[in-house]
Every structure is written in C-alpha cells, then in structure tokens.
Amino acid sequence: MNTKTVIRSLILFLICIVKTNAQGVLTIEDALKTALENNYDIKIAANNLKVNQTNNTIGNAGMLPTLTANVVDNNNIQNLSQIRLDGTENSLNNAKNNSLNYGVSLGWTIFDGMSMFAKREQFQELQKLGESQLKLSILTKIADVYATYFDLVQQQQQLAALDSTLVISNQRLTLAQNRFSIGKASKLEVLNAQVDLNTDKVTLLKQKELFANTKILLNQILARDTKIDFQVSTIFNVDAHLKLDELSNLAQKQNPQLQAQIINKRVAELQLKQVKATRYPTIRVNTAYNFSETESSLGFVTQSSSRGFNYGLSASLNLFDGFAQHRNEKIANLAIENAKLQIEQQNLNLETQLATAYQTYLTNLELIKLEETNQAIAKQNLAITLDKFHIGTITTLEFRTAQLNFVNATVRYTNAQFQAKLSEIALKELAGNMSF
C-alpha cells in the first residue's frame, strides 16, 4: 500500500471523526450556562444570599414599633365566706367570679445608644458578604467547568492522534503480512506488527475510558444526568496577553475572598458599636388602650368595667453588670484586630498565588510554542519514515520509533495547551475576572 493510499485512508477516517463530533457538540458557553442554572453549590449560595436580603430590614434592626393585642380571661368557682366589720357573716357556695381584660399596646424604642443603626448597617454588610460568597461559588464552579471542559478537549485531541496511529499500525500489519506471504519478510516482523497494533489498541481503549469518565464528571458539575453523551470543541483558545500588574489590580478590587475579609472587618467594627451602645440608656415610649370587666358573686361590688387610654415613657441604664461590658468590648476589639490580620494574610496569599501562577502561565506559553514545533517535526518525520518503510529501506523498529514520537509529541502539545489554559483560568479566578 503506497503513501497516497494511506493518506486517503487517514483523511476519510478524520472526516468520520469530524462528522461524529458535529453531532451534539456542547460548547463552553452552553456548559457555563447549564452550570449557572443547575449547579447545587450556586443554588445554595443564592438561597443564603436571599436569607441575608430578607434579614436586611429596619424592622429586624429594631427601628420600628411593636404593636401587641392582649386578651386575658380568668374564671373561677369558689366557696366563699365573709365576716364584715359589723359582724355580719355571708357565705356562698359555688360562687362564680370572672375577670376579662383586653386591649392593644404600642411600644417603641426611640434610643438605644445608636445600636439599632449599627445593627442595620451590619445587616447591609452581611448582605454584601452573601453576594461575595455567591460570587465565589460562581467563580469556583466556572473554573471547574473550564478546567474539565478543556481537559476533554485535550483528551479528544489525543484520541484523534491515537486513532490515526492505529490506522497506520493496521496498515503496517497488513503490509507485513503481505511481505511475509511473498517471502520478503519474516514471521517475526508480522508478530512485532501485531504486538504493536495490540499495544495501540490498549492505549486507545484506556484513553476512551478516561474520556468517558471525564464526561461523566462534567455532567456532574453541570448538575444534569450523568448518562448524557456529548462532544466538545476541538480548539484551545488560550489568552496569551495577561499582565501581572493588571491582574493584581483587579484582584484587589474583585477577588471575592479578599472582599469577604474586608466585609468581615466591617461587621466586627459594627459589632463593637452595638456592644458600646449598652453604655447608654435605653428609652422606650409605651401606650395602650385597654378594656376591663369583672364580675363577682359575693362582695361589695358584684360587677365593674373600665376602658381607657394610657401612655408613658420608660428608661433603663446599666450601672454595673459584673464587668461584662468591659469584657465584651475587649472581645469585640480583638475580633477587629483578627479581621485586620486576616486581610493582611489574604493579601499576601493572593499576591503569592498570582506571582507563582503567572510564572507558570509564562512557562506554559513557551512550552506551547516548543511542543507545536516538535509535533510538526514529528509529523514530518513520520511521513518520511512511512515512505521509507513502504520501500523497505528502514527497519520496523525505526518506523515504530517515529510512530511513537509522533504520538508522544501530540500528547505533549495538547498537554501544554491544557496546562496553559489551566494557568489562565487560575489567574482569572484569582483576579475575580472569569467571563461567563
């Protein structure tokens, strides 16, 4: 079989692969959309944010009055005996007595040392914290989708390389069998070709298993049926224009973990305000409108009723609480100090992660160029070797070496692209700048 025939076979094989991949292609955009709609971690974070939004009200902060309706109805049956001052004695068995009180009361704290305003601000900060945590969940999940998706792209490219080398190995076996049948090759050449073909089949089978398992993993991340089959894109798009200074500036403004630490510091400061507020008096205004009715079977008054409006003012001030106030303020100040230290620690961690990830990113970009060149050379070498093998000017060992060199070069090239993509994803995730 000549080189042209081999090339035609490879072209037809690759066309079949392209047609297969064109069916049910899952784009990275569709994968991200599905993850944002379905992923459980994102849904949980979104519900937690709704809890914080629900709590963020002036009523929950204690700024609104409370209105209460009260009804008290007391009834009793007693055996009564009375001796009056004039010596008169009265008695009554099974005497019924009834007391009914009902009305509405209004209470409103008008001053509590500004604690209610600090609490209101704290609820607003906690809502921001919920937003930051939701953003972190989204960024983390987007990074997972990107990483898993492009892992599939890498594996798919490797599958294509293994498929093509399997075609060549099949044709090598056919050629060896033809040469053996006409006495131009030994049985050993046929056996070696068969062993190499079987080795290629095993490698391809394992790669297909890994590819299938990674598909299941992506379906899990997308929170959909793990049995759904799909194809992925065959192209890597690596952003080769990232700048460390720009990423660092973005991270200071957008990194959700850093923003969460800054919000936690503000929450701790507002907690201290609430603690200090207990040093001041608490003033409440109270008003009510009440109805009262009583009935008695024995006594000077057998029935009475009243209704009316009352109002007043109450104030309380903590004079001594066993030094609890001092202790609580000290604890609140320590919480603020810890929050400051956590911000500094997060800043240091962030800068370290950015610097190391960026260096890895630059190295991977260089590796892409080198491995692309290596693959092109290995491909050219395989074509030349294939021609020489057909005319019998090189050994099967030399041909197998060229064949393996091409496969390994392709694997290294796709892996370099994948690692560069992972570096890009890591940098954008740290900068809080993942596109979705």
Side-chain angles (χ1 to χ4, degrees):
M1 188 177 293
N2 58 30
T3 304
K4 290 183 179 180
T5 305
V6 174
I7 292 174
R8 285 196 205 99
S9 300
L10 283 172
I11 291 173
L12 289 173
F13 183 76
L14 292 174
I15 288 173
C16 292
I17 293 176
V18 170
K19 287 183 178 179
T20 302
N21 290 345
Q23 300 173 358
V25 175
L26 176 70
T27 66
I28 184 62
E29 292 80 12
D30 290 338
L32 292 173
K33 181 181 178 182
T34 303
L36 291 175
E37 291 175 351
N38 298 344
N39 186 263
Y40 297 112
D41 291 336
I42 294 176
K43 286 184 177 181
I44 292 171
N47 285 336
N48 289 336
L49 174 58
K50 289 179 182 178
V51 171
N52 291 329
Q53 291 171 335
T54 304
N55 283 329
N56 184 18
T57 63
I58 58 175
N60 196 30
M63 293 182 176
L64 297 180
T66 57
L67 184 64
T68 307
N70 300 294
V71 177
V72 179
D73 185 13
N74 290 320
N75 297 275
N76 60 69
I77 300 175
Q78 297 176 334
N79 295 327
L80 299 176
S81 178
Q82 296 178 345
I83 300 177
R84 299 178 179 176
L85 292 175
D86 60 0
T88 303
E89 182 175 346
N90 291 325
S91 63
L92 180 64
N93 292 330
N94 297 323
K96 294 182 179 180
N97 297 296
N98 172 262
S99 174
L100 175 63
N101 294 279
Y102 56 95
V104 291
S105 60
L106 177 71
W108 195 354
T109 301
I110 58 175
F111 181 76
D112 62 353
M114 310 304 285
S115 175
M116 65 180 75
F117 296 97
K119 186 177 293 185
R120 169 68 168 159
E121 286 187 62
Q122 191 176 59
F123 287 142
Q124 292 172 340
E125 293 299 324
L126 288 173
Q127 180 176 327
K128 292 179 184 178
L129 182 61
E131 292 169 355
S132 180
Q133 290 170 341
L134 175 59
K135 182 180 179 181
L136 177 61
S137 295
I138 291 174
L139 287 176
T140 300
K141 201 51 57 182
I142 287 174
D144 290 344
V145 172
Y146 267 116
T148 309
Y149 185 90
F150 285 105
D151 189 13
L152 284 172
V153 174
Q154 171 199 221
Q155 292 178 32
Q156 187 168 258
Q157 291 181 350
Q158 293 176 7
L159 275 173
L162 292 172
D163 281 332
S164 64
T165 196
L166 190 64
V167 172
I168 295 174
S169 293
N170 269 309
Q171 294 177 355
R172 174 191 164 195
L173 176 60
T174 301
L175 182 61
Q177 289 172 336
N178 291 338
R179 286 161 59 89
F180 175 71
S181 63
I182 61 176
K184 288 188 176 183
S186 66
K187 183 67 174 178
L188 182 61
E189 183 176 333
V190 176
L191 294 176
N192 284 334
Q194 184 66 62
V195 169
D196 289 340
L197 175 61
N198 291 340
T199 301
D200 292 341
K201 287 181 178 179
V202 170
T203 304
L204 180 62
L205 186 62
K206 289 182 178 179
Q207 185 63 39
K208 286 183 176 179
E209 177 192 7
L210 179 60
F211 188 64
N213 288 338
T214 308
K215 279 186 178 181
I216 293 172
L217 177 59
L218 182 57
N219 280 330
Q220 180 191 10
I221 294 173
L222 301 183
R224 65 180 191 174
D225 188 352
T226 56
K227 297 177 183 177
I228 294 177
D229 194 19
F230 57 91
Q231 298 296 325
V232 295
S233 171
T234 58
I235 301 173
F236 273 102
N237 293 315
V238 180
D239 187 351
H241 305 290
L242 299 180
K243 304 297 181 184
L244 182 58
D245 291 341
E246 295 175 2
L247 292 168
S248 182
N249 291 333
L250 285 173
Q252 290 298 318
K253 299 174 184 177
Q254 299 182 171
N255 181 269
Q257 292 173 307
L258 179 59
Q259 294 304 309
Q261 296 296 349
I262 293 172
I263 293 171
N264 283 331
K265 175 178 173 290
R266 180 59 181 158
V267 169
E269 291 170 345
L270 292 169
Q271 185 62 38
L272 177 60
K273 280 189 176 182
Q274 294 177 60
V275 172
K276 286 185 175 181
T278 57
R279 289 183 176 272
Y280 299 91
T282 299
I283 302 174
R284 285 179 59 85
V285 292
N286 304 285
T287 184
Y289 195 87
N290 294 312
F291 300 82
S292 175
E293 294 181 2
T294 59
E295 293 182 0
S296 176
S297 298
L298 186 65
F300 290 104
V301 180
T302 58
Q303 184 175 1
S304 69
S305 64
S306 66
R307 65 186 63 189
F309 178 76
N310 62 72
Y311 57 91
L313 182 73
S314 65
S316 62
L317 177 63
N318 177 28
L319 298 177
F320 182 73
D321 58 0
F323 302 107
Q325 178 70 30
H326 176 73
R327 182 179 65 253
N328 291 337
E329 288 185 14
K330 187 176 181 179
I331 292 172
N333 276 308
L334 288 172
I336 294 174
E337 183 63 27
N338 280 341
K340 291 179 181 177
L341 293 173
Q342 287 170 346
I343 291 174
E344 292 176 6
Q345 183 184 40
Q346 186 63 40
N347 265 318
L348 180 60
N349 290 340
L350 189 57
E351 290 300 323
T352 302
Q353 290 173 342
L354 277 172
T356 54
Y358 191 74
Q359 186 57 54
T360 303
Y361 165 76
L362 293 178
T363 302
N364 287 330
L365 290 181
E366 292 297 322
L367 286 174
I368 288 178
K369 297 176 183 178
L370 290 173
E371 296 299 348
E372 184 178 16
T373 302
N374 285 339
Q375 188 202 35
I377 294 172
K379 185 177 182 180
Q380 183 180 7
N381 181 56
L382 178 61
I384 295 172
T385 305
L386 188 60
D387 288 335
K388 291 185 176 181
F389 182 71
H390 283 146
I391 61 178
T393 59
I394 62 171
T395 65
T396 57
L397 180 60
E398 290 175 311
F399 173 76
R400 182 61 177 173
T401 301
Q403 189 181 16
L404 292 178
N405 283 341
F406 171 71
V407 173
N408 292 335
T410 301
V411 169
R412 289 198 307 272
Y413 176 49
T414 58
N415 186 60
Q417 291 177 301
F418 178 56
Q419 293 302 320
K421 190 64 181 179
L422 288 182
S423 299
E424 175 200 329
I425 293 168
L427 287 169
K428 290 183 176 179
E429 184 180 6
L430 289 169
N433 195 37
M434 295 287 293
S435 60
F436 54 91

